[in-house]
PDB file of all heavy atoms in Angstrom:
ATOM      1  N   GLU D 238      92.426 100.822  34.483  1.00  0.00           N
ATOM      2  CA  GLU D 238      91.498  99.770  34.073  1.00  0.00           C
ATOM      3  C   GLU D 238      90.109 100.097  34.616  1.00  0.00           C
ATOM      4  O   GLU D 238      89.970 100.505  35.768  1.00  0.00           O
ATOM      5  CB  GLU D 238      91.969  98.431  34.631  1.00  0.00           C
ATOM      6  CG  GLU D 238      91.119  97.258  34.224  1.00  0.00           C
ATOM      7  CD  GLU D 238      91.688  95.946  34.741  1.00  0.00           C
ATOM      8  OE1 GLU D 238      92.252  95.914  35.849  1.00  0.00           O
ATOM      9  OE2 GLU D 238      91.567  94.947  34.022  1.00  0.00           O
ATOM     10  N   ILE D 239      89.096  99.895  33.797  1.00  0.00           N
ATOM     11  CA  ILE D 239      87.713 100.100  34.230  1.00  0.00           C
ATOM     12  C   ILE D 239      87.292  98.891  35.055  1.00  0.00           C
ATOM     13  O   ILE D 239      87.443  97.754  34.612  1.00  0.00           O
ATOM     14  CB  ILE D 239      86.768 100.248  33.022  1.00  0.00           C
ATOM     15  CG1 ILE D 239      87.220 101.392  32.111  1.00  0.00           C
ATOM     16  CG2 ILE D 239      85.325 100.459  33.489  1.00  0.00           C
ATOM     17  CD1 ILE D 239      86.559 101.368  30.744  1.00  0.00           C
ATOM     18  N   GLN D 240      86.740  99.139  36.232  1.00  0.00           N
ATOM     19  CA  GLN D 240      86.253  98.068  37.092  1.00  0.00           C
ATOM     20  C   GLN D 240      84.750  97.843  36.927  1.00  0.00           C
ATOM     21  O   GLN D 240      84.283  96.724  36.928  1.00  0.00           O
ATOM     22  CB  GLN D 240      86.562  98.383  38.557  1.00  0.00           C
ATOM     23  CG  GLN D 240      88.048  98.439  38.863  1.00  0.00           C
ATOM     24  CD  GLN D 240      88.697  97.087  38.730  1.00  0.00           C
ATOM     25  OE1 GLN D 240      88.332  96.153  39.426  1.00  0.00           O
ATOM     26  NE2 GLN D 240      89.650  96.969  37.835  1.00  0.00           N
ATOM     27  N   ARG D 241      84.013  98.958  36.822  1.00  0.00           N
ATOM     28  CA  ARG D 241      82.562  98.835  36.709  1.00  0.00           C
ATOM     29  C   ARG D 241      81.985 100.173  36.248  1.00  0.00           C
ATOM     30  O   ARG D 241      82.606 101.220  36.422  1.00  0.00           O
ATOM     31  CB  ARG D 241      81.931  98.452  38.043  1.00  0.00           C
ATOM     32  CG  ARG D 241      82.168  99.467  39.129  1.00  0.00           C
ATOM     33  CD  ARG D 241      81.435  99.208  40.425  1.00  0.00           C
ATOM     34  NE  ARG D 241      81.797 100.226  41.386  1.00  0.00           N
ATOM     35  CZ  ARG D 241      81.423 101.501  41.335  1.00  0.00           C
ATOM     36  NH1 ARG D 241      80.662 101.928  40.359  1.00  0.00           N
ATOM     37  NH2 ARG D 241      81.810 102.359  42.256  1.00  0.00           N
ATOM     38  N   ILE D 242      80.802 100.106  35.663  1.00  0.00           N
ATOM     39  CA  ILE D 242      80.073 101.326  35.316  1.00  0.00           C
ATOM     40  C   ILE D 242      78.666 101.209  35.899  1.00  0.00           C
ATOM     41  O   ILE D 242      78.014 100.175  35.765  1.00  0.00           O
ATOM     42  CB  ILE D 242      80.037 101.588  33.796  1.00  0.00           C
ATOM     43  CG1 ILE D 242      79.365 102.931  33.513  1.00  0.00           C
ATOM     44  CG2 ILE D 242      79.410 100.431  33.046  1.00  0.00           C
ATOM     45  CD1 ILE D 242      79.544 103.427  32.091  1.00  0.00           C
ATOM     46  N   GLY D 243      78.260 102.256  36.584  1.00  0.00           N
ATOM     47  CA  GLY D 243      76.918 102.321  37.147  1.00  0.00           C
ATOM     48  C   GLY D 243      76.094 103.330  36.363  1.00  0.00           C
ATOM     49  O   GLY D 243      76.503 103.800  35.307  1.00  0.00           O
ATOM     50  N   THR D 244      74.949 103.680  36.904  1.00  0.00           N
ATOM     51  CA  THR D 244      74.088 104.650  36.233  1.00  0.00           C
ATOM     52  C   THR D 244      74.791 105.988  36.058  1.00  0.00           C
ATOM     53  O   THR D 244      74.793 106.560  34.972  1.00  0.00           O
ATOM     54  CB  THR D 244      72.779 104.839  37.039  1.00  0.00           C
ATOM     55  OG1 THR D 244      72.148 103.566  37.167  1.00  0.00           O
ATOM     56  CG2 THR D 244      71.840 105.812  36.345  1.00  0.00           C
ATOM     57  N   ALA D 245      75.404 106.489  37.139  1.00  0.00           N
ATOM     58  CA  ALA D 245      76.095 107.776  37.097  1.00  0.00           C
ATOM     59  C   ALA D 245      77.535 107.672  37.598  1.00  0.00           C
ATOM     60  O   ALA D 245      78.244 108.669  37.649  1.00  0.00           O
ATOM     61  CB  ALA D 245      75.346 108.800  37.945  1.00  0.00           C
ATOM     62  N   SER D 246      77.978 106.475  37.953  1.00  0.00           N
ATOM     63  CA  SER D 246      79.317 106.316  38.522  1.00  0.00           C
ATOM     64  C   SER D 246      80.186 105.420  37.632  1.00  0.00           C
ATOM     65  O   SER D 246      79.686 104.699  36.771  1.00  0.00           O
ATOM     66  CB  SER D 246      79.233 105.721  39.919  1.00  0.00           C
ATOM     67  OG  SER D 246      78.714 104.409  39.877  1.00  0.00           O
ATOM     68  N   LEU D 247      81.482 105.502  37.882  1.00  0.00           N
ATOM     69  CA  LEU D 247      82.450 104.709  37.137  1.00  0.00           C
ATOM     70  C   LEU D 247      83.573 104.322  38.089  1.00  0.00           C
ATOM     71  O   LEU D 247      84.212 105.191  38.687  1.00  0.00           O
ATOM     72  CB  LEU D 247      83.009 105.530  35.971  1.00  0.00           C
ATOM     73  CG  LEU D 247      84.019 104.849  35.061  1.00  0.00           C
ATOM     74  CD1 LEU D 247      83.374 103.669  34.323  1.00  0.00           C
ATOM     75  CD2 LEU D 247      84.573 105.854  34.056  1.00  0.00           C
ATOM     76  N   GLY D 248      83.793 103.033  38.249  1.00  0.00           N
ATOM     77  CA  GLY D 248      84.866 102.539  39.102  1.00  0.00           C
ATOM     78  C   GLY D 248      86.114 102.268  38.284  1.00  0.00           C
ATOM     79  O   GLY D 248      86.061 101.558  37.278  1.00  0.00           O
ATOM     80  N   LEU D 249      87.229 102.852  38.693  1.00  0.00           N
ATOM     81  CA  LEU D 249      88.497 102.680  37.995  1.00  0.00           C
ATOM     82  C   LEU D 249      89.556 102.159  38.959  1.00  0.00           C
ATOM     83  O   LEU D 249      89.511 102.442  40.159  1.00  0.00           O
ATOM     84  CB  LEU D 249      88.982 104.008  37.408  1.00  0.00           C
ATOM     85  CG  LEU D 249      88.055 104.707  36.418  1.00  0.00           C
ATOM     86  CD1 LEU D 249      88.614 106.073  36.035  1.00  0.00           C
ATOM     87  CD2 LEU D 249      87.856 103.851  35.182  1.00  0.00           C
ATOM     88  N   HIS D 250      90.527 101.433  38.407  1.00  0.00           N
ATOM     89  CA  HIS D 250      91.681 100.966  39.172  1.00  0.00           C
ATOM     90  C   HIS D 250      92.922 101.431  38.420  1.00  0.00           C
ATOM     91  O   HIS D 250      93.017 101.242  37.204  1.00  0.00           O
ATOM     92  CB  HIS D 250      91.673  99.438  39.292  1.00  0.00           C
ATOM     93  CG  HIS D 250      92.845  98.908  40.024  1.00  0.00           C
ATOM     94  ND1 HIS D 250      92.929  98.934  41.398  1.00  0.00           N
ATOM     95  CD2 HIS D 250      94.002  98.367  39.577  1.00  0.00           C
ATOM     96  CE1 HIS D 250      94.087  98.416  41.762  1.00  0.00           C
ATOM     97  NE2 HIS D 250      94.755  98.061  40.677  1.00  0.00           N
ATOM     98  N   LEU D 251      93.844 102.059  39.138  1.00  0.00           N
ATOM     99  CA  LEU D 251      95.090 102.513  38.539  1.00  0.00           C
ATOM    100  C   LEU D 251      96.262 101.925  39.300  1.00  0.00           C
ATOM    101  O   LEU D 251      96.189 101.767  40.533  1.00  0.00           O
ATOM    102  CB  LEU D 251      95.204 104.038  38.564  1.00  0.00           C
ATOM    103  CG  LEU D 251      94.301 104.802  37.598  1.00  0.00           C
ATOM    104  CD1 LEU D 251      92.951 105.047  38.211  1.00  0.00           C
ATOM    105  CD2 LEU D 251      94.942 106.104  37.203  1.00  0.00           C
ATOM    106  N   GLU D 252      97.321 101.616  38.585  1.00  0.00           N
ATOM    107  CA  GLU D 252      98.555 101.143  39.188  1.00  0.00           C
ATOM    108  C   GLU D 252      99.711 101.880  38.547  1.00  0.00           C
ATOM    109  O   GLU D 252      99.681 102.157  37.342  1.00  0.00           O
ATOM    110  CB  GLU D 252      98.738  99.640  38.964  1.00  0.00           C
ATOM    111  CG  GLU D 252      97.725  98.792  39.675  1.00  0.00           C
ATOM    112  CD  GLU D 252      97.966  97.295  39.510  1.00  0.00           C
ATOM    113  OE1 GLU D 252      99.023  96.899  38.953  1.00  0.00           O
ATOM    114  OE2 GLU D 252      97.095  96.527  39.937  1.00  0.00           O
ATOM    115  N   ALA D 253     100.724 102.179  39.354  1.00  0.00           N
ATOM    116  CA  ALA D 253     101.940 102.801  38.838  1.00  0.00           C
ATOM    117  C   ALA D 253     103.115 101.906  39.174  1.00  0.00           C
ATOM    118  O   ALA D 253     103.202 101.352  40.274  1.00  0.00           O
ATOM    119  CB  ALA D 253     102.144 104.178  39.447  1.00  0.00           C
ATOM    120  N   GLU D 254     104.021 101.772  38.193  1.00  0.00           N
ATOM    121  CA  GLU D 254     105.235 100.995  38.416  1.00  0.00           C
ATOM    122  C   GLU D 254     106.395 101.696  37.719  1.00  0.00           C
ATOM    123  O   GLU D 254     106.202 102.469  36.784  1.00  0.00           O
ATOM    124  CB  GLU D 254     105.076  99.549  37.939  1.00  0.00           C
ATOM    125  CG  GLU D 254     104.815  99.361  36.476  1.00  0.00           C
ATOM    126  CD  GLU D 254     106.065  99.315  35.610  1.00  0.00           C
ATOM    127  OE1 GLU D 254     107.171  99.046  36.123  1.00  0.00           O
ATOM    128  OE2 GLU D 254     105.948  99.562  34.411  1.00  0.00           O
ATOM    129  N   CYS D 255     107.585 101.402  38.202  1.00  0.00           N
ATOM    130  CA  CYS D 255     108.804 101.921  37.612  1.00  0.00           C
ATOM    131  C   CYS D 255     109.815 100.787  37.567  1.00  0.00           C
ATOM    132  O   CYS D 255     110.144 100.214  38.617  1.00  0.00           O
ATOM    133  CB  CYS D 255     109.336 103.091  38.433  1.00  0.00           C
ATOM    134  SG  CYS D 255     110.851 103.813  37.782  1.00  0.00           S
ATOM    135  N   GLU D 256     110.207 100.444  36.362  1.00  0.00           N
ATOM    136  CA  GLU D 256     111.168  99.353  36.160  1.00  0.00           C
ATOM    137  C   GLU D 256     110.751  98.081  36.892  1.00  0.00           C
ATOM    138  O   GLU D 256     111.547  97.409  37.528  1.00  0.00           O
ATOM    139  CB  GLU D 256     112.574  99.795  36.562  1.00  0.00           C
ATOM    140  CG  GLU D 256     113.086 100.944  35.713  1.00  0.00           C
ATOM    141  CD  GLU D 256     114.477 101.403  36.093  1.00  0.00           C
ATOM    142  OE1 GLU D 256     115.098 100.823  37.011  1.00  0.00           O
ATOM    143  OE2 GLU D 256     114.948 102.355  35.459  1.00  0.00           O
ATOM    144  N   GLY D 257     109.459  97.776  36.812  1.00  0.00           N
ATOM    145  CA  GLY D 257     108.923  96.552  37.390  1.00  0.00           C
ATOM    146  C   GLY D 257     108.580  96.628  38.868  1.00  0.00           C
ATOM    147  O   GLY D 257     108.028  95.679  39.425  1.00  0.00           O
ATOM    148  N   GLU D 258     108.860  97.748  39.519  1.00  0.00           N
ATOM    149  CA  GLU D 258     108.552  97.900  40.943  1.00  0.00           C
ATOM    150  C   GLU D 258     107.271  98.706  41.111  1.00  0.00           C
ATOM    151  O   GLU D 258     107.154  99.823  40.594  1.00  0.00           O
ATOM    152  CB  GLU D 258     109.694  98.617  41.671  1.00  0.00           C
ATOM    153  CG  GLU D 258     109.429  98.818  43.151  1.00  0.00           C
ATOM    154  CD  GLU D 258     110.542  99.575  43.852  1.00  0.00           C
ATOM    155  OE1 GLU D 258     111.073 100.545  43.284  1.00  0.00           O
ATOM    156  OE2 GLU D 258     110.862  99.180  44.984  1.00  0.00           O
ATOM    157  N   ALA D 259     106.313  98.154  41.841  1.00  0.00           N
ATOM    158  CA  ALA D 259     105.053  98.857  42.097  1.00  0.00           C
ATOM    159  C   ALA D 259     105.322 100.085  42.962  1.00  0.00           C
ATOM    160  O   ALA D 259     106.100 100.030  43.912  1.00  0.00           O
ATOM    161  CB  ALA D 259     104.063  97.935  42.793  1.00  0.00           C
ATOM    162  N   ARG D 260     104.662 101.177  42.627  1.00  0.00           N
ATOM    163  CA  ARG D 260     104.805 102.416  43.397  1.00  0.00           C
ATOM    164  C   ARG D 260     103.510 102.788  44.117  1.00  0.00           C
ATOM    165  O   ARG D 260     103.539 103.236  45.240  1.00  0.00           O
ATOM    166  CB  ARG D 260     105.263 103.559  42.494  1.00  0.00           C
ATOM    167  CG  ARG D 260     106.607 103.298  41.811  1.00  0.00           C
ATOM    168  CD  ARG D 260     107.731 103.090  42.837  1.00  0.00           C
ATOM    169  NE  ARG D 260     108.975 102.681  42.249  1.00  0.00           N
ATOM    170  CZ  ARG D 260     109.930 103.497  41.830  1.00  0.00           C
ATOM    171  NH1 ARG D 260     109.764 104.799  41.894  1.00  0.00           N
ATOM    172  NH2 ARG D 260     111.041 103.010  41.327  1.00  0.00           N
ATOM    173  N   PHE D 261     102.373 102.628  43.436  1.00  0.00           N
ATOM    174  CA  PHE D 261     101.091 102.830  44.107  1.00  0.00           C
ATOM    175  C   PHE D 261     100.006 102.097  43.353  1.00  0.00           C
ATOM    176  O   PHE D 261     100.141 101.769  42.174  1.00  0.00           O
ATOM    177  CB  PHE D 261     100.739 104.315  44.292  1.00  0.00           C
ATOM    178  CG  PHE D 261     100.375 105.066  43.040  1.00  0.00           C
ATOM    179  CD1 PHE D 261      99.108 104.954  42.469  1.00  0.00           C
ATOM    180  CD2 PHE D 261     101.279 105.924  42.440  1.00  0.00           C
ATOM    181  CE1 PHE D 261      98.760 105.663  41.325  1.00  0.00           C
ATOM    182  CE2 PHE D 261     100.951 106.636  41.290  1.00  0.00           C
ATOM    183  CZ  PHE D 261      99.694 106.502  40.735  1.00  0.00           C
ATOM    184  N   MET D 262      98.905 101.839  44.073  1.00  0.00           N
ATOM    185  CA  MET D 262      97.683 101.269  43.506  1.00  0.00           C
ATOM    186  C   MET D 262      96.534 102.105  44.044  1.00  0.00           C
ATOM    187  O   MET D 262      96.541 102.472  45.226  1.00  0.00           O
ATOM    188  CB  MET D 262      97.506  99.822  43.939  1.00  0.00           C
ATOM    189  CG  MET D 262      98.550  98.887  43.369  1.00  0.00           C
ATOM    190  SD  MET D 262      98.559  97.306  44.226  1.00  0.00           S
ATOM    191  CE  MET D 262      99.567  97.742  45.634  1.00  0.00           C
ATOM    192  N   THR D 263      95.580 102.396  43.206  1.00  0.00           N
ATOM    193  CA  THR D 263      94.446 103.190  43.662  1.00  0.00           C
ATOM    194  C   THR D 263      93.162 102.716  43.002  1.00  0.00           C
ATOM    195  O   THR D 263      93.171 102.270  41.860  1.00  0.00           O
ATOM    196  CB  THR D 263      94.677 104.701  43.390  1.00  0.00           C
ATOM    197  OG1 THR D 263      93.711 105.471  44.067  1.00  0.00           O
ATOM    198  CG2 THR D 263      94.622 105.042  41.928  1.00  0.00           C
ATOM    199  N   SER D 264      92.090 102.789  43.749  1.00  0.00           N
ATOM    200  CA  SER D 264      90.748 102.550  43.236  1.00  0.00           C
ATOM    201  C   SER D 264      89.969 103.830  43.462  1.00  0.00           C
ATOM    202  O   SER D 264      90.062 104.432  44.535  1.00  0.00           O
ATOM    203  CB  SER D 264      90.079 101.387  43.970  1.00  0.00           C
ATOM    204  OG  SER D 264      90.775 100.194  43.696  1.00  0.00           O
ATOM    205  N   LEU D 265      89.230 104.248  42.446  1.00  0.00           N
ATOM    206  CA  LEU D 265      88.460 105.473  42.596  1.00  0.00           C
ATOM    207  C   LEU D 265      87.130 105.348  41.892  1.00  0.00           C
ATOM    208  O   LEU D 265      86.950 104.508  41.009  1.00  0.00           O
ATOM    209  CB  LEU D 265      89.241 106.682  42.078  1.00  0.00           C
ATOM    210  CG  LEU D 265      89.621 106.738  40.610  1.00  0.00           C
ATOM    211  CD1 LEU D 265      88.641 107.589  39.835  1.00  0.00           C
ATOM    212  CD2 LEU D 265      91.006 107.321  40.476  1.00  0.00           C
ATOM    213  N   THR D 266      86.210 106.185  42.328  1.00  0.00           N
ATOM    214  CA  THR D 266      84.889 106.251  41.722  1.00  0.00           C
ATOM    215  C   THR D 266      84.669 107.656  41.208  1.00  0.00           C
ATOM    216  O   THR D 266      84.779 108.629  41.966  1.00  0.00           O
ATOM    217  CB  THR D 266      83.785 105.897  42.744  1.00  0.00           C
ATOM    218  OG1 THR D 266      84.029 104.588  43.248  1.00  0.00           O
ATOM    219  CG2 THR D 266      82.403 105.959  42.106  1.00  0.00           C
ATOM    220  N   LEU D 267      84.401 107.758  39.919  1.00  0.00           N
ATOM    221  CA  LEU D 267      84.011 109.026  39.313  1.00  0.00           C
ATOM    222  C   LEU D 267      82.498 109.082  39.265  1.00  0.00           C
ATOM    223  O   LEU D 267      81.841 108.041  39.145  1.00  0.00           O
ATOM    224  CB  LEU D 267      84.549 109.139  37.881  1.00  0.00           C
ATOM    225  CG  LEU D 267      86.047 109.091  37.685  1.00  0.00           C
ATOM    226  CD1 LEU D 267      86.375 109.162  36.193  1.00  0.00           C
ATOM    227  CD2 LEU D 267      86.742 110.203  38.440  1.00  0.00           C
ATOM    228  N   VAL D 268      81.956 110.290  39.321  1.00  0.00           N
ATOM    229  CA  VAL D 268      80.509 110.474  39.247  1.00  0.00           C
ATOM    230  C   VAL D 268      80.227 111.522  38.174  1.00  0.00           C
ATOM    231  O   VAL D 268      80.835 112.592  38.168  1.00  0.00           O
ATOM    232  CB  VAL D 268      79.928 110.931  40.606  1.00  0.00           C
ATOM    233  CG1 VAL D 268      78.421 111.101  40.510  1.00  0.00           C
ATOM    234  CG2 VAL D 268      80.309 109.961  41.705  1.00  0.00           C
ATOM    235  N   TYR D 269      79.333 111.193  37.276  1.00  0.00           N
ATOM    236  CA  TYR D 269      78.923 112.146  36.239  1.00  0.00           C
ATOM    237  C   TYR D 269      77.892 113.085  36.853  1.00  0.00           C
ATOM    238  O   TYR D 269      76.869 112.638  37.395  1.00  0.00           O
ATOM    239  CB  TYR D 269      78.332 111.403  35.032  1.00  0.00           C
ATOM    240  CG  TYR D 269      78.116 112.294  33.837  1.00  0.00           C
ATOM    241  CD1 TYR D 269      79.194 112.667  33.038  1.00  0.00           C
ATOM    242  CD2 TYR D 269      76.857 112.765  33.502  1.00  0.00           C
ATOM    243  CE1 TYR D 269      79.012 113.489  31.936  1.00  0.00           C
ATOM    244  CE2 TYR D 269      76.666 113.585  32.402  1.00  0.00           C
ATOM    245  CZ  TYR D 269      77.748 113.946  31.626  1.00  0.00           C
ATOM    246  OH  TYR D 269      77.564 114.767  30.539  1.00  0.00           O
ATOM    247  N   VAL D 270      78.176 114.408  36.809  1.00  0.00           N
ATOM    248  CA  VAL D 270      77.292 115.392  37.445  1.00  0.00           C
ATOM    249  C   VAL D 270      76.932 116.509  36.477  1.00  0.00           C
ATOM    250  O   VAL D 270      77.653 116.773  35.511  1.00  0.00           O
ATOM    251  CB  VAL D 270      77.945 116.000  38.716  1.00  0.00           C
ATOM    252  CG1 VAL D 270      78.225 114.931  39.767  1.00  0.00           C
ATOM    253  CG2 VAL D 270      79.215 116.766  38.388  1.00  0.00           C
ATOM    254  N   ASP D 271      75.816 117.178  36.792  1.00  0.00           N
ATOM    255  CA  ASP D 271      75.428 118.353  36.018  1.00  0.00           C
ATOM    256  C   ASP D 271      76.168 119.576  36.553  1.00  0.00           C
ATOM    257  O   ASP D 271      76.990 119.471  37.471  1.00  0.00           O
ATOM    258  CB  ASP D 271      73.906 118.538  36.016  1.00  0.00           C
ATOM    259  CG  ASP D 271      73.315 118.830  37.389  1.00  0.00           C
ATOM    260  OD1 ASP D 271      74.064 119.216  38.322  1.00  0.00           O
ATOM    261  OD2 ASP D 271      72.082 118.679  37.538  1.00  0.00           O
ATOM    262  N   ALA D 272      75.882 120.744  36.004  1.00  0.00           N
ATOM    263  CA  ALA D 272      76.583 121.976  36.380  1.00  0.00           C
ATOM    264  C   ALA D 272      76.384 122.349  37.852  1.00  0.00           C
ATOM    265  O   ALA D 272      77.196 123.068  38.424  1.00  0.00           O
ATOM    266  CB  ALA D 272      76.141 123.124  35.480  1.00  0.00           C
ATOM    267  N   GLN D 273      75.319 121.850  38.475  1.00  0.00           N
ATOM    268  CA  GLN D 273      75.062 122.137  39.891  1.00  0.00           C
ATOM    269  C   GLN D 273      75.670 121.068  40.808  1.00  0.00           C
ATOM    270  O   GLN D 273      75.502 121.128  42.029  1.00  0.00           O
ATOM    271  CB  GLN D 273      73.556 122.256  40.156  1.00  0.00           C
ATOM    272  CG  GLN D 273      72.912 123.513  39.573  1.00  0.00           C
ATOM    273  CD  GLN D 273      72.822 123.487  38.052  1.00  0.00           C
ATOM    274  OE1 GLN D 273      72.441 122.484  37.463  1.00  0.00           O
ATOM    275  NE2 GLN D 273      73.205 124.587  37.431  1.00  0.00           N
ATOM    276  N   GLY D 274      76.322 120.079  40.237  1.00  0.00           N
ATOM    277  CA  GLY D 274      76.957 119.035  41.034  1.00  0.00           C
ATOM    278  C   GLY D 274      76.043 117.872  41.380  1.00  0.00           C
ATOM    279  O   GLY D 274      76.405 117.020  42.191  1.00  0.00           O
ATOM    280  N   LYS D 275      74.886 117.804  40.758  1.00  0.00           N
ATOM    281  CA  LYS D 275      73.939 116.713  41.012  1.00  0.00           C
ATOM    282  C   LYS D 275      74.221 115.574  40.030  1.00  0.00           C
ATOM    283  O   LYS D 275      74.361 115.786  38.826  1.00  0.00           O
ATOM    284  CB  LYS D 275      72.502 117.209  40.827  1.00  0.00           C
ATOM    285  CG  LYS D 275      71.440 116.191  41.186  1.00  0.00           C
ATOM    286  CD  LYS D 275      70.052 116.812  41.055  1.00  0.00           C
ATOM    287  CE  LYS D 275      68.971 115.903  41.554  1.00  0.00           C
ATOM    288  NZ  LYS D 275      68.740 114.740  40.779  1.00  0.00           N
ATOM    289  N   SER D 276      74.307 114.352  40.559  1.00  0.00           N
ATOM    290  CA  SER D 276      74.603 113.221  39.679  1.00  0.00           C
ATOM    291  C   SER D 276      73.469 113.000  38.683  1.00  0.00           C
ATOM    292  O   SER D 276      72.310 113.256  38.975  1.00  0.00           O
ATOM    293  CB  SER D 276      74.846 111.953  40.495  1.00  0.00           C
ATOM    294  OG  SER D 276      73.667 111.531  41.134  1.00  0.00           O
ATOM    295  N   GLU D 277      73.867 112.541  37.525  1.00  0.00           N
ATOM    296  CA  GLU D 277      72.900 112.178  36.498  1.00  0.00           C
ATOM    297  C   GLU D 277      73.499 111.056  35.658  1.00  0.00           C
ATOM    298  O   GLU D 277      74.713 110.849  35.669  1.00  0.00           O
ATOM    299  CB  GLU D 277      72.496 113.375  35.635  1.00  0.00           C
ATOM    300  CG  GLU D 277      73.582 114.039  34.855  1.00  0.00           C
ATOM    301  CD  GLU D 277      73.038 115.217  34.018  1.00  0.00           C
ATOM    302  OE1 GLU D 277      72.215 115.996  34.504  1.00  0.00           O
ATOM    303  OE2 GLU D 277      73.467 115.318  32.860  1.00  0.00           O
ATOM    304  N   PRO D 278      72.669 110.311  34.949  1.00  0.00           N
ATOM    305  CA  PRO D 278      73.171 109.170  34.172  1.00  0.00           C
ATOM    306  C   PRO D 278      74.202 109.583  33.114  1.00  0.00           C
ATOM    307  O   PRO D 278      74.117 110.682  32.548  1.00  0.00           O
ATOM    308  CB  PRO D 278      71.920 108.599  33.502  1.00  0.00           C
ATOM    309  CG  PRO D 278      70.790 109.054  34.359  1.00  0.00           C
ATOM    310  CD  PRO D 278      71.204 110.415  34.878  1.00  0.00           C
ATOM    311  N   TRP D 279      75.135 108.669  32.860  1.00  0.00           N
ATOM    312  CA  TRP D 279      76.102 108.884  31.784  1.00  0.00           C
ATOM    313  C   TRP D 279      75.331 109.076  30.481  1.00  0.00           C
ATOM    314  O   TRP D 279      74.371 108.349  30.215  1.00  0.00           O
ATOM    315  CB  TRP D 279      77.019 107.677  31.632  1.00  0.00           C
ATOM    316  CG  TRP D 279      77.937 107.468  32.785  1.00  0.00           C
ATOM    317  CD1 TRP D 279      77.781 106.579  33.801  1.00  0.00           C
ATOM    318  CD2 TRP D 279      79.159 108.162  33.044  1.00  0.00           C
ATOM    319  NE1 TRP D 279      78.836 106.680  34.682  1.00  0.00           N
ATOM    320  CE2 TRP D 279      79.696 107.643  34.247  1.00  0.00           C
ATOM    321  CE3 TRP D 279      79.862 109.173  32.383  1.00  0.00           C
ATOM    322  CZ2 TRP D 279      80.891 108.096  34.792  1.00  0.00           C
ATOM    323  CZ3 TRP D 279      81.051 109.621  32.947  1.00  0.00           C
ATOM    324  CH2 TRP D 279      81.557 109.097  34.109  1.00  0.00           C
ATOM    325  N   PRO D 280      75.723 110.022  29.648  1.00  0.00           N
ATOM    326  CA  PRO D 280      75.082 110.145  28.332  1.00  0.00           C
ATOM    327  C   PRO D 280      75.275 108.848  27.548  1.00  0.00           C
ATOM    328  O   PRO D 280      76.311 108.187  27.669  1.00  0.00           O
ATOM    329  CB  PRO D 280      75.836 111.303  27.672  1.00  0.00           C
ATOM    330  CG  PRO D 280      76.493 112.047  28.792  1.00  0.00           C
ATOM    331  CD  PRO D 280      76.752 111.044  29.867  1.00  0.00           C
TER     332      PRO D 280
END
């Protein structure tokens, strides 16, 4: 699930379950970068 979008970042939330039992939950931030690894705005 998308949590938020910033200028160059994206917050996501993921959950895993098996037969109704939660296995893990994670929140992560992706960053859009150029070839040199410098952040830049999402196209």
Side-chain angles (χ1 to χ4, degrees):
E238 182 177 35
I239 303 165
Q240 296 293 300
R241 61 174 178 71
I242 185 167
T244 302
S246 65
L247 181 64
L249 301 174
H250 178 79
L251 288 86
E252 293 183 8
E254 62 86 21
C255 180
E256 298 180 2
E258 179 182 41
R260 300 300 173 90
F261 71 79
M262 293 165 277
T263 192
S264 295
L265 63 98
T266 302
L267 299 178
V268 181
Y269 190 77
V270 299
D271 64 17
Q273 289 71 45
K275 185 176 187 291
S276 67
E277 61 179 42
W279 292 100

